[in-house]
DNA sequence: AAATGAACAAATTGTTTATTTGTTCATTTA
DNA sequence: TAAATGAACAAATAAACAATTTGTTCATTT
């Protein structure tokens, strides 16, 4: 096996098997089998089962994140950037079956209330992405002035609720519709400004 | 023990003990002790441990709910009703130490994502309360027209996130401040309406 | 009528054994 | 010589059983 594409191949196979059986039920032999090798040999490519699991998930989450970032970059209007961010995050995950099945099998990957978030750095980057858009929008006077530190976290929380309900708990249809309605609430607000 | 105030006294004692030790660790003897009776006698007032636990929680949750409803009724302006609803729900719980300690000990009481909500009817009433305010506000042209069925549920979800973070997971300070900011976002919206 | 405490059943916990599975490494293969 | 193997071993998991606790009932007492 050639050294450069190794990790890609390993992660792909590991994600496939882990997403089918979950962490506990997959054995190192299963993954080795998927790769056409023996479990002893797999240890040339993975320190141990736990780190292989962790790295596989990181790989999957980063791929998700980069796809969203790419879609956002394509837009110019800040309002559209914000809406694309919200929609694309859901949209990508609905297509990456293996990733969201694995997330459904292990709620610890994307926990609503993490004690110690195992993928904290990835999620902090996502929050930073939201915050950047907020700050730019405020600077360009497209957005109302809000506490970007707090609101970016709140938006991430709400986004988590939707991701978990829709793709981890399998209520895709109900929540896709609700997402648009919620986006409307967040962007337009509930109150009608009193006439002057 | 007189028949009429019985349940009040029983629930008060049970809540006190359950909130200290949690369901598993409290024994019927503990609760009987708190009431100055023996565990055998406690069975004149409670079917069994599980139903006593359930009824005690229902009693605590209904008390919480009625306090919020009362505060909302006092306001006339729909915008204020909405804001009071959100603030009072948090405010009451911060004061009812026993209730929120018990909720912290047993996340199944107020689950973020219930499979089968043990206190569904209570929570449905809360959602109905939100919905009523939304519908009145829309009728009076104080609120923008939104899908009240969906938005009342979304607001309840967001409110759950805050309750859980602040009082079940014990991050009271951080989230109290965040709540106001979030209320602002929901009521005013993020986007600045384009000038005509 | 309300309360007790002994009696019993049900559930929980602790302990040990058996089995599986993760990990290493001396040896083989290409 | 780097990559792969499979036997060997250790660590974790599951199964089986005994010991203990605790929920629940009920004949008897206050």
């Amino acid at each position: 096996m050639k050294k450069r594409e190794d990790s890609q191949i390993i992660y792909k196979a590991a994600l496939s098997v882990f997403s089918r059986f979950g962490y506990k039920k997959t054995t190192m032999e299963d993954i080795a089998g998927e790769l056409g090798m023996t479990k002893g040999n797999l240890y040339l490519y993975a320190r141990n089962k736990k780190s292989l699991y962790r790295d596989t998930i990181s790989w999957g989450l980063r791929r998700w994140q980069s796809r969203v970032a790419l879609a956002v970059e394509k837009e110019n209007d800040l309002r559209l950037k914000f809406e694309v961010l919200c929609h694309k995050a859901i949209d990508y995950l609905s297509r990456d079956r293996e990733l969201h099945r694995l997330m459904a099998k292990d709620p610890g990957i994307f926990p609503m209330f993490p004690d110690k978030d195992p993928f904290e750095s990835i999620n902090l980057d996502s929050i930073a992405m939201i915050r950047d858009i907020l700050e730019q929008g405020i600077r360009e006077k497209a957005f109302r002035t809000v506490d970007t530190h707090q609101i970016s976290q709140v938006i991430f929380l709400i986004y988590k609720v939707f991701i978990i309900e829709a793709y981890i708990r399998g209520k895709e249809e109900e929540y896709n519709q609700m997402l648009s309605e919620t986006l409307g609430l967040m962007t337009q607000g509930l109150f009608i400004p009193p006439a002057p």
Side-chain angles (χ1 to χ4, degrees), chain A residues 13-162:
Chain A
L15 180 58
S16 170
V17 179
F18 279 133
S19 73
R20 254 176 290 154
F21 306 132
Y23 178 78
K24 228 177 69 176
K25 284 284 185 188
T26 85
T27 66
M28 290 300 269
E29 213 158 14
D30 290 333
I31 297 169
E34 179 84 13
L35 287 160
M37 58 172 74
T38 60
K39 64 174 176 171
N41 194 43
L42 179 54
Y43 278 83
L44 292 174
Y45 303 93
R47 249 181 307 290
N48 54 50
K49 189 186 179 185
K50 205 172 283 182
S51 83
L52 175 58
Y53 185 65
R54 224 198 152 286
D55 293 345
T56 299
I57 294 167
S58 285
W59 176 78
L61 293 177
R62 284 292 185 193
R63 190 169 61 171
W64 174 17
Q65 189 175 59
S66 64
R67 293 297 175 83
V68 175
L70 217 72
V72 168
E73 277 168 27
K74 285 194 185 121
E75 291 295 340
N76 285 316
D77 183 65
L78 266 300
R79 291 185 182 87
L80 282 176
K81 268 181 194 280
F82 183 77
E83 285 169 348
V84 164
L85 173 81
C86 296
H87 279 122
K88 187 68 186 177
I90 298 277
D91 184 62
Y92 173 83
L93 193 59
S94 75
R95 291 183 158 79
D96 193 340
R97 294 277 167 78
E98 289 184 340
L99 183 62
H100 78 240
R101 272 188 199 147
L102 182 53
M103 287 167 69
K105 285 224 160 61
D106 178 2
I109 295 171
F110 200 59
M112 189 63 228
F113 306 108
D115 282 317
K116 198 191 63 57
D117 188 343
F119 303 101
E120 189 182 27
S121 67
I122 295 177
N123 291 327
L124 286 178
D125 286 350
S126 294
I127 294 172
M129 198 156 117
I130 297 170
R131 191 174 179 177
D132 280 353
I133 294 175
L134 293 179
E135 281 173 353
Q136 270 195 287
I138 291 168
R139 223 178 296 125
E140 292 188 11
K141 309 234 188 279
F143 297 170
R144 217 175 288 281
T145 304
V146 295
D147 183 325
T148 59
H149 175 66
Q150 294 204 25
I151 292 296
S152 59
Q153 288 191 62
V154 168
I155 290 171
F156 188 72
L157 277 175
I158 295 171
Y159 147 93
K160 257 190 188 174
V161 172
F162 277 91

Side-chain angles (χ1 to χ4, degrees), chain A residues 144 180-193:
Chain A
R144 217 175 288 281
S180 299
E181 196 67 26
T182 304
L183 248 180
L185 181 73
M186 286 198 300
T187 57
Q188 309 301 320
L190 180 63
F191 293 178
I192 291 174

